[in-house]
Amino acid sequence: MSFNGLQDYIKALDAHHELQRINAFVNPVLEIAEVADRMVKNNGKALLFENTGTDFPLLINAFASDKRMAMAIGRDTIEEAGEEITSLFNSFGGEKGFFKKLATAPQMLRLIQIAPHRVRGRGTCQEVIMPAPDLSKLPVLKCWPYDGDRFVTLPLVHTRHPETMKTNLGMYRMQVMAPDTTGMHWHRHKTGARHFEAWKENKGGRMPVTVTLGGDPVYTYAATAPMPENMDEYLLAGFLRKRRVRLVRCLTNDLWVPEDSDFVIEGYVDTSEKPVVEGPFGDHTGFYSLADLYPLFHVTCITHRKNAVYPATIVGVPPMEDAWIGKTTEKIFAAPIKMAIAPEITDLHMPAEGVAHNLVLVTIDKKYPGQGMKVLGALFGAGQMMFSKYIVVLDKNVRTDDYKAVLVEILRNVKMWSDTLRLNGPLDVLDHSSNTFSFGGKLGIDATTKMPEELAGRPARLSVSNSSAGMTGTAFPDTRTFEIENHTITILPVKDESNMFDIDSLISSLPECYSSEGSIVVVMDKKARDLKPEVLLWLALSNTDPVRDMFTLREGGIVINACSKWGVVPEFPREWPNIVCSDMDTIKKVDEKWDSYGIGQLPASPSLMLNVLVSAGGASVNPKLQKTN
């Protein structure tokens, strides 16, 4: 099923009781984000804010459930799309057969029938032309207190390579700088950034860029999908909607965009222009991504449908709306990953607490010794999987969404000195834990059941750290302890903001019991002690560099330094970002106005629990440091 713009999708959401309308005025500055955060974390419906102080309503949380995500990609379930892709790959005989048979006439015909199609004339997206481009006419959100300004959060950014003429559809946040300019936050690893560098090197001058908003919601999903470079994202959109995407030419540049978009923002990036300071921004990691230099996008024209709806999302401490988008990607791209990288893979899952790139859980059909390590090596070098920080490989009978079962398998089958793969490599640019920007430690864990050959070659014990040699037996009264599979996992909340913290000194002062095999100590900030386990997991994954922060003690005990890395010995060389939370004034305002929204019982703000983690200092906790990037 396809949708003709967001109004069409809204009608479907209404018909399936997946939408709540809010008629009262809700401010796009902080207030809408606080309402949306409460709803998404309480399994709430999509929200249509009909009074935004502009001429346009705003749709948010449109993807934040399995049902809504399936509707957005035109299926009854998200698994259905994955099954179709798997069936397609299998019918072609895997990766090699896929590309070989794609070259034959019948398969090329199938491809042409879903390929995007350029049409003459103007599209519905060009019904109204703004007399002068003015982004202040749109209900652009400011999501979190320390955000640099308002941000367009669901932009579909169209670019083209200057030589190959290949186009790309990406999603890069846009900070509004003026009525006709924004930042263009494309990371160094993204195709948009590569197109920009190619324009700078080959042509120079103005690089055409067009941003669309809305249209068929499948376009938004396609912009986030990990498509191979030079493969058109609208080909995926056509496959999912079972109908080719109709493209129209922009009015002030020569890019082509879906004719059923809700908004079209045309313009350019000048490759000879100095970059501008963009950010901070409360990001999907749950931390602020800090101010940095990015290109300036100049708006030359804004057009829209007569009944246009402005789409938005918020990101922050998980789970957020992007968790369901990520889940869909798992299902759709499982077959290509399996066929192209490791055929033994039976399942792949990225828990929300891992914010897409911090934790990947994989199951395999293991047939020979060393196969788990083989898969780890393949995954760490595969496409966007190269940004993964922790990857765990498990037996095929383990459910990757049963996190307790996953932990049991790790504790049962893993010796840290023989069943792990530690390396340094590329990280997502939003990772804040590594000493160096976008580069740091990774850990692969082979948690499969070990075969006799693997057990025979495994050392009985390996001393990795001498820090335990001088243990003094200091008592730690505020610990939290979990007993699982003959292992003791201890949360040790010791770091505070008043003293410098030295992990080596701490390890030296641990009681002897923490050194023994079966003991795992997770060292955290004091203020994190009473948080829910899933929040502790998110925090530990976010704050650790596996190579730097994991210690195997003399007798086999493990210490993980999951503290924040500011105020430590030796001094952390980068700025450390703050936690993303609403401020108390916004929380109070939303509490007082909740009944006027007409969307049910008042839920507590998720930020109330998380505010204990917030430090003074704005988006950056230690802004005096100079960034290394």
Side-chain angles (χ1 to χ4, degrees):
M1 179 180 180
S2 60
F3 297 97
N4 183 9
L6 286 182
Q7 285 285 6
D8 199 18
Y9 182 52
I10 286 168
K11 291 177 184 177
L13 292 173
D14 250 338
H16 287 84
H17 309 289
E18 287 288 326
L19 181 76
Q20 289 184 303
R21 298 172 181 267
I22 300 177
N23 297 314
F25 169 68
V26 187
N27 198 326
V29 176
L30 300 180
E31 189 178 340
I32 285 180
E34 171 63 14
V35 175
D37 191 29
R38 298 188 194 205
M39 296 302 287
V40 73
K41 286 186 170 64
N42 287 279
N43 301 312
K45 298 181 180 181
L47 300 172
L48 184 66
F49 292 90
E50 298 182 313
N51 186 351
T52 62
T54 72
D55 292 336
F56 305 104
L58 180 148
L59 180 67
I60 199 167
N61 287 358
F63 305 103
S65 74
D66 286 346
K67 184 174 182 179
R68 295 198 291 279
M69 194 67 239
M71 291 174 62
I73 62 172
R75 299 296 187 278
D76 292 328
T77 66
I78 57 177
E79 287 79 11
E80 185 180 329
E83 290 166 2
E84 289 179 28
I85 292 284
T86 300
S87 177
L88 180 65
F89 264 70
N90 288 339
S91 69
F92 288 156
E95 181 200 14
K96 293 181 180 178
F98 176 78
F99 290 109
K100 182 178 179 180
K101 293 187 179 181
L102 201 58
T104 64
Q107 308 309 330
M108 285 304 296
L109 180 62
R110 289 180 62 184
L111 183 63
I112 291 170
Q113 289 173 342
I114 61 171
H117 174 56
R118 294 182 175 184
V119 297
R120 293 182 178 180
R122 293 188 178 179
T124 309
C125 62
Q126 297 163 326
E127 288 178 327
V128 180
I129 304 173
M130 279 192 182
D134 187 353
L135 294 166
S136 69
K137 302 292 185 182
L138 308 183
V140 183
L141 296 182
K142 180 176 181 180
C143 302
W144 305 107
Y146 299 136
D147 283 356
D149 211 312
R150 298 191 188 206
F151 284 82
V152 181
T153 55
L154 277 180
L156 312 183
V157 181
H158 300 72
T159 60
R160 186 186 67 239
H161 194 281
E163 292 183 317
T164 68
M165 305 302 287
K166 295 289 186 179
T167 59
N168 182 70
L169 175 66
M171 184 174 290
Y172 319 115
R173 76 180 190 228
M174 299 161 55
Q175 179 180 338
V176 176
M177 305 291 187
D180 60 352
T181 57
T182 78
M184 186 56 70
H185 186 93
W186 44 42
H187 295 168
R188 59 170 60 176
H189 303 112
K190 300 299 183 181
T191 305
R194 286 195 286 273
H195 284 183
F196 176 74
E197 292 301 323
W199 276 83
K200 184 185 293 187
E201 293 172 5
N202 291 278
K203 283 194 171 185
R206 296 180 175 183
M207 167 185 166
V209 179
T210 294
V211 177
T212 60
L213 300 169
D216 191 327
V218 77
Y219 306 155
T220 299
Y221 172 71
T224 72
M227 294 285 285
E229 190 160 353
N230 298 326
M231 183 172 286
D232 196 328
E233 285 79 9
Y234 287 123
L235 187 63
L236 173 64
F239 172 82
L240 292 172
R241 74 201 301 252
K242 298 182 179 179
R243 180 182 175 186
R244 65 200 312 185
V245 180
R246 290 164 50 88
L247 304 175
V248 293
R249 194 180 187 276
C250 294
L251 304 183
T252 61
N253 65 33
D254 59 355
L255 296 173
W256 294 73
V257 296
E259 70 90 19
D260 60 339
S261 301
D262 281 68
F263 294 89
V264 181
I265 306 172
E266 304 177 15
Y268 65 88
V269 171
D270 191 336
T271 59
S272 63
E273 192 172 29
K274 289 184 177 180
V276 296
V277 176
E278 187 266 4
F281 177 71
D283 227 312
H284 78 275
T285 59
F287 292 80
Y288 283 92
S289 56
L290 302 178
D292 209 339
L293 297 175
Y294 284 92
L296 187 67
F297 172 58
H298 296 264
V299 182
T300 55
C301 179
I302 298 178
T303 67
H304 62 84
R305 304 169 66 110
K306 290 180 179 179
N307 61 347
V309 176
Y310 180 85
T313 191
I314 59 168
V315 290
V317 178
M320 284 290 196
E321 189 170 7
D322 58 329
W324 283 271
I325 296 176
K327 184 177 180 180
T328 303
T329 294
E330 292 173 15
K331 301 301 180 184
I332 290 178
F333 286 88
I337 289 173
K338 176 180 178 179
M339 296 294 183
I341 300 172
E344 56 267 76
I345 291 176
T346 56
D347 192 20
L348 182 148
H349 175 49
M350 296 176 288
E353 291 79 8
V355 298
H357 41 74
N358 284 346
L359 178 61
V360 181
L361 305 177
V362 179
T363 59
I364 65 170
D365 185 9
K366 185 173 179 176
K367 299 296 186 183
Y368 55 83
Q371 195 169 5
M373 284 294 184
K374 173 258 187 186
V375 171
L376 286 171
L379 290 177
F380 274 125
Q384 292 193 34
M385 295 290 286
M386 72 176 179
F387 301 123
S388 302
K389 187 154 63 171
Y390 293 88
I391 301 180
V392 183
V393 178
L394 304 132
D395 293 323
K396 66 178 181 180
N397 62 306
V398 181
R399 282 188 51 181
T400 55
D401 60 352
D402 184 343
Y403 301 146
K404 183 176 181 180
V406 169
L407 179 58
V408 167
E409 290 298 304
I410 294 173
L411 296 176
R412 179 183 295 158
N413 295 330
V414 175
K415 302 294 184 186
M416 293 298 292
W417 51 86
S418 60
D419 302 323
T420 59
L421 176 65
R422 299 194 191 199
L423 66 156
N424 287 294
L427 294 174
D428 190 279
V429 300
L430 297 180
D431 184 272
H432 61 268
S433 67
S434 60
N435 286 4
T436 305
F437 174 69
S438 71
F439 178 81
K442 298 165 175 287
L443 181 69
I445 301 175
D446 177 9
T448 59
T449 303
K450 301 303 179 291
M451 292 183 168
E453 297 89 342
E454 293 169 304
L455 293 174
R458 172 195 274 177
R461 182 171 295 148
L462 180 65
S463 177
V464 176
S465 172
N466 292 322
S467 299
S468 59
M471 286 184 167
T472 61
T474 301
F476 296 96
D478 294 328
T479 59
R480 289 176 66 183
T481 301
F482 305 91
E483 298 287 343
I484 305 174
E485 284 283 307
N486 298 318
H487 286 71
T488 302
I489 301 177
T490 303
I491 306 297
L492 191 60
V494 295
K495 181 179 179 293
D496 60 28
E497 300 178 16
S498 60
N499 298 303
M500 294 295 286
F501 175 74
D502 184 348
I503 185 64
D504 288 333
S505 297
L506 173 73
I507 292 175
S508 296
S509 68
L510 288 174
E512 197 69 37
C513 61
Y514 290 136
S515 178
S516 61
E517 185 176 344
S519 171
I520 300 174
V521 177
V522 184
V523 184
M524 307 196 79
D525 294 3
K526 283 184 177 180
K527 54 191 178 182
R529 182 194 184 281
D530 297 320
L531 295 174
K532 296 179 180 178
E534 57 269 27
V535 180
L536 293 175
L537 174 62
W538 158 72
L539 205 56
L541 293 169
S542 300
N543 285 353
T544 51
D545 177 310
V547 173
R548 182 195 64 212
D549 294 329
M550 299 191 73
F551 305 86
T552 304
L553 304 184
R554 183 180 57 210
E555 300 300 324
I558 297 167
V559 176
I560 303 170
N561 180 11
C563 294
S564 57
K565 299 303 184 296
W566 63 280
V568 299
V569 177
E571 185 176 45
F572 185 71
R574 299 171 60 196
E575 288 186 279
W576 190 265
N578 221 332
I579 302 290
V580 175
C581 280
S582 287
D583 60 81
M584 293 308 298
D585 287 344
T586 301
I587 293 171
K588 182 179 179 182
K589 181 186 296 184
V590 169
D591 283 346
E592 293 171 348
K593 293 181 63 177
W594 191 266
D595 287 343
S596 71
Y597 304 149
I599 53 176
Q601 187 175 358
L602 171 67
S605 171
S607 292
L608 290 175
M609 173 190 67
L610 296 166
N611 257 314
V612 298
L613 298 174
V614 176
S615 301
S620 173
V621 175
N622 54 344
K624 66 181 184 298
L625 285 177
Q626 296 295 314
K627 289 184 290 183
T628 59
N629 57 306

